[in-house]
Amino acid sequence: MLTLKKGSVSKVRYVIRFAKEKDIKFISHLDLMRTIHRVIRRAGLPVEYSKGFNPHMNLSIAQPLSVGVYSKGEYMDIVLTEEVAEELIINKLNDSAPPAIKFLQAVRVPDAFPDGKKIPQVASIIEAALYTIKIKYDDVERGYKDLKNLLKKEQWITIKKGKKGEKEIDVKRLIKEFKFDIEGDSIVIEALIACGSRENLSPELLSSYIKANTDAVKENSFVEVERQEMYTIKEGKYVSIASYFK
Amino acid sequence: MNKINDDILFRVEKPARYIGGELNSIIKNPQKVDIRFAMCFPDVYEVGMSHLGMKILYHIMNKREDTYCERVFAPWPDMEKLMRENGVLLYALESKEPIKNFDFIGFTLQYEMSYTNILNMLDMAGLAIRASERGEDDPIVILGGPCAYNPEPLYDIGDLFQIGEGEEVIDEVLDLYNSMKGKYSKSEILREMAKIRGIYVPSLYEVEYKEDGTIKSFWPKYEDVPAKVVKRFIPDINDNPYPEDMIVPYTEIVHDRIMLETFRGCTRGCRFCQAGMIYRPVREKKLPKLMEQAETLLKTTGYEELSLTSLSICDYSDIQNLLFSLMEKHKEDRVSISLPSIRIDAFSVDLIKEIQKVKKTGLTFAPEAGSQRMRDVINKCVTEEDLLTSVKHAFEAGWSTIKLYFMIGLPYETLEDVVGIAELGEKVVDEYFKVPKETRHKGLKVTISTSIFVPKPFTPFQWAAQDTMDAVKEKIQAIRANIKDRAITYNWHDSMVSYLEAIFARGDRRLCDVLIKAFEKGARFDGWSEYFNFDIWMEAFEECGVDGDFYAYREREYSEILPWDFIDIGIDKEFLIKENERAKNMELTPDCRLGCKLCGINVNFKEGKCFQGAVCNKVR
């Protein structure tokens, strides 16, 4: 790993894993960004700012979360102007954060691989994300049976509304792994689905497809969604973002 | 009774308004306190969270180990609907517990058009709206803020009113309550509260009207209840508790920055301005104190912007030094400083030039009136030349967006005076084109806004009639017809809202029924044009047999007993009368710092020292 001379101002990159907890699931991505900026300022970390008329922090959150979704597998890239011990970064951030944001792990990322190739930003390597989705049913047994049958279908065709208008897509093709079980009055689904810039399936689209195609869904009930982890592909296998950088 | 839950929250607009948990919000164990206090702002979260007074009181009350102060804002109508459908009572953001069971429910009265929201919030809390109908075990409803200087339209809503600055008196109220709680009845507690300076308990006073509808007499029912309620103020605001941190909301609010209060009061003496009278005497925080508070707040909030607040910030006696010291100290942390209000003079433009070196957002000036005659009437000691020199400086320094604020419907105003507003706008445009092309920035935009004058209690214009809606319409037309240049945009306020404001600002107890009737008919969020419904209000007046014109359009005699006369703000009524007479003759009354104008504040209140904390008392 590359080391820096003490006192020299330079760019030191870190990947930080954090959690947006259940209590603040209803805050938006922009709100979360703004809050994290302030946490970093409070923490007094030597963060790098861009040059120009309107300098902004050199920080990016890998994959936005929708309003209503919480997560323990969020990632951000941040550039500091000097090296700070990983543990110290985490402690400082947690001391300065509101109760429902937890910083879990910081990994110092070198500028380049040993072969000289640039190490990519987190956002550009994400391939999939693992979600837990809880859908409430009036008759959960019936919903369970319906979902079982639904899985036999070759394709799950639905309409995706995007910026360019509506588009027909096959949801099922974007699902990598799918497990489900009954928990109280809910069906709890654990799904690894496509995520990132190449292919993306939102957990909301998946859950609304299931809600529309199973019977006895509880009306006007909130579907709880938690992002567990995000993955990239390394040597043909899904590996968590944290272990990729470690 | 149901608790707030996700099945409701996911269906409302901006659910972040209702979840709490923000940075620096205070979590206490409700079991470990004696007093639960719900601090309510009768408007939506983004507006209420921008209010400095609430932040200060939240800080003071939560410093007490025996008290837990929590926040409550008015749920937006979509949220209200779902809460009512699901049987969720109005709850406090910190604990999510219903405020119905609290000891106190406090509301701040910032503008008259928020009154129906107070009623709605009490109703959503599961309480009776009328104080006279609430029970022994129900919370004590306490109201304060600038509109409490005429508490009468809300006399049967609040159990007690707190008149003036709240920092000290709130502790006295809580101490007294804690010593009597459980041992005495609510009415006994209220009777004792009435003896605290600055506290008004309306149920302990009686009012009688004459046949012509004016007040015949107003008197306390008992001998131990004071006939005069004397306002509270903090003699030295340097020792005043100020929050060491402030809640940093997740979602963007109206004033999303640190608010650093620099001084209270104003020496200009504009005759329309209530704040200029009720917040006397002028008291300043010393520079080292401000530097210390700024540093602490920047550290604890992480905010990048700090706003210096006061009534007229450029009048801070050491403003230049303060600005440069703040900028010098925090230049490495990329902190920007903002001045919310600037005076119309070259000095102020130069100051703002220093702090907005790069990003030049629009500049706002408030000449208030279009003609010199009218500016003399209202005692706005600003000339046309002052304004044109200021905008010339601004255009030369690179600004190209100018906003100008005016009032119309001022006392003694003619159509000719308001046409002056349009003419002044044109002259500002001319100044822009006088600046050489190479110097000035492209894209001139001049915005003229007019609001309609609402006569307020405790001002020299408190006896004046408001201009009628028809007259106002004609004046707005005249301005529109006289704006020729396409660089000028003209915005004007709705006259119906101002009419209601005028009624409630100077109303008496008989308006309480009207307010309740309007609320029952569905009035709420009246300050929001999408919800304001004038017809509801007109029906409410009619059904209650109350004539709105009596309050809005009637010129009062000096001898009339005004509904707020029992409140003593430290300013002599004779001073206000003298100022009103001077207004009629267009006579200016210069700034207090050019010599005392004998308003009475420093004589009536022995602790009322003018310019407390200031480095000098000279006008620049």
Side-chain angles (χ1 to χ4, degrees), chain A residues 23-27 31 34-35 38 41-42 49 53 55 96-99 136 220-222, chain B residues 6-7 9-11 23-24 248 250-252 256 299-304 333-335 358:
Chain A
D23 285 352
I24 57 162
K25 58 182 169 296
F26 287 116
I27 72 162
D31 292 343
R34 218 186 351 256
T35 303
R38 287 173 187 155
R41 287 178 63 84
R42 271 164 52 101
Y49 278 81
F53 281 137
S96 311
K136 284 182 211 148
N220 279 334
S221 69
F222 175 67
Chain B
D6 295 343
D7 293 339
L9 288 170
F10 92 102
R11 286 191 282 162
L23 197 67
N24 297 331
V248 185
Y250 289 110
T251 185
E252 212 167 347
D256 212 2
K299 259 192 201 134
T300 56
T301 61
Y303 269 124
E304 285 189 317
D333 335 321
R334 286 157 234 274
V335 171
V358 186

Side-chain angles (χ1 to χ4, degrees), chain A residues 27 30-39 98 101, chain B residues 249-250:
Chain A
I27 72 162
L30 269 176
D31 292 343
L32 184 68
M33 280 282 278
R34 218 186 351 256
T35 303
I36 288 176
H37 276 120
R38 287 173 187 155
V39 169
I101 297 176
Chain B
Y250 289 110

Side-chain angles (χ1 to χ4, degrees), chain B residues 404-540:
Chain B
L404 302 171
Y405 282 167
F406 298 92
M407 278 183 288
I408 54 174
L410 287 160
Y412 323 115
E413 178 187 75
T414 65
L415 211 52
E416 224 167 85
D417 292 314
V418 296
V419 169
I421 293 174
E423 289 166 359
L424 203 52
E426 301 282 341
K427 284 177 192 161
V428 168
V429 173
D430 293 343
E431 281 306 316
Y432 174 80
F433 288 107
K434 278 187 210 159
V435 177
K437 242 187 183 157
E438 316 79 69
T439 317
R440 71 187 189 221
H441 275 218
K442 271 188 211 146
L444 171 70
K445 209 180 148 201
V446 178
T447 306
I448 293 177
S449 301
T450 60
S451 59
I452 298 154
F453 173 63
V454 176
K456 294 274 190 173
F458 296 111
T459 64
F461 293 156
Q462 64 176 354
W463 295 277
Q466 189 184 38
D467 226 355
T468 62
M469 286 189 260
D470 286 340
V472 163
K473 237 172 246 162
E474 198 187 342
K475 287 176 178 173
I476 290 171
Q477 284 310 325
I479 296 172
R480 292 178 69 184
N482 282 280
I483 291 175
K484 306 271 158 37
D485 202 286
R486 288 175 60 192
I488 303 177
T489 317
Y490 176 40
N491 302 322
W492 62 93
H493 271 235
D494 213 343
S495 57
M496 292 177 288
V497 174
S498 308
Y499 174 68
L500 286 176
E501 282 171 340
I503 295 169
F504 282 94
R506 294 185 297 168
D508 56 34
R509 293 190 168 195
R510 290 167 294 189
L511 285 168
C512 196
D513 290 344
V514 179
L515 186 66
I516 292 171
K517 182 69 86 185
F519 162 69
E520 285 167 353
K521 286 173 165 291
R524 62 212 58 181
F525 282 102
D526 296 295
W528 296 77
S529 54
E530 61 262 57
Y531 289 105
F532 178 69
N533 183 339
F534 192 56
D535 295 340
I536 284 183
W537 282 98
M538 288 303 96
E539 286 167 29

Side-chain angles (χ1 to χ4, degrees), chain B residues 124-267:
Chain B
M124 288 185 73
L127 293 165
I129 290 168
R130 286 187 182 274
S132 55
E133 289 169 12
R134 283 194 296 268
E136 188 64 26
D137 294 330
D138 287 333
I140 293 176
V141 175
I142 175 167
L143 310 179
C147 292
Y149 280 94
N150 177 20
E152 292 300 82
L154 297 169
Y155 88 101
D156 197 20
I157 309 296
D159 294 299
L160 53 92
F161 287 78
Q162 189 254 295
I163 314 295
E165 295 169 5
E167 288 104 329
E168 291 174 343
V169 68
I170 194 69
D171 271 337
E172 294 164 28
V173 166
L174 296 178
D175 286 343
L176 180 65
Y177 175 78
N178 220 8
S179 69
M180 296 181 79
K181 183 187 178 183
K183 291 178 245 168
Y184 296 89
S185 70
K186 193 174 178 180
S187 61
E188 286 169 322
I189 296 176
L190 290 177
R191 179 88 165 259
E192 277 309 297
M193 294 269 187
K195 294 171 193 165
I196 299 176
R197 175 172 163 183
I199 295 295
Y200 168 53
V201 181
S203 58
L204 301 178
Y205 296 78
E206 205 80 72
V207 60
E208 197 187 339
Y209 300 95
K210 290 182 193 166
E211 245 169 62
D212 67 2
T214 59
I215 293 171
K216 189 174 174 200
S217 57
F218 178 95
W219 69 98
K221 288 184 196 169
Y222 309 99
E223 264 184 11
D224 61 339
V225 176
K228 277 262 174 194
V229 176
V230 183
K231 84 160 182 197
R232 291 296 289 261
F233 71 98
I234 312 296
D236 182 350
I237 59 168
N238 283 285
D239 310 328
N240 205 24
Y242 202 72
E244 287 112 42
D245 58 24
M246 286 180 183
I247 293 176
V248 185
Y250 289 110
T251 185
E252 212 167 347
I253 59 171
V254 180
H255 298 295
D256 212 2
R257 56 189 77 91
I258 292 168
M259 278 177 276
L260 186 62
E261 189 190 31
T262 49
F263 72 104
R264 291 184 185 177
C266 177
T267 51

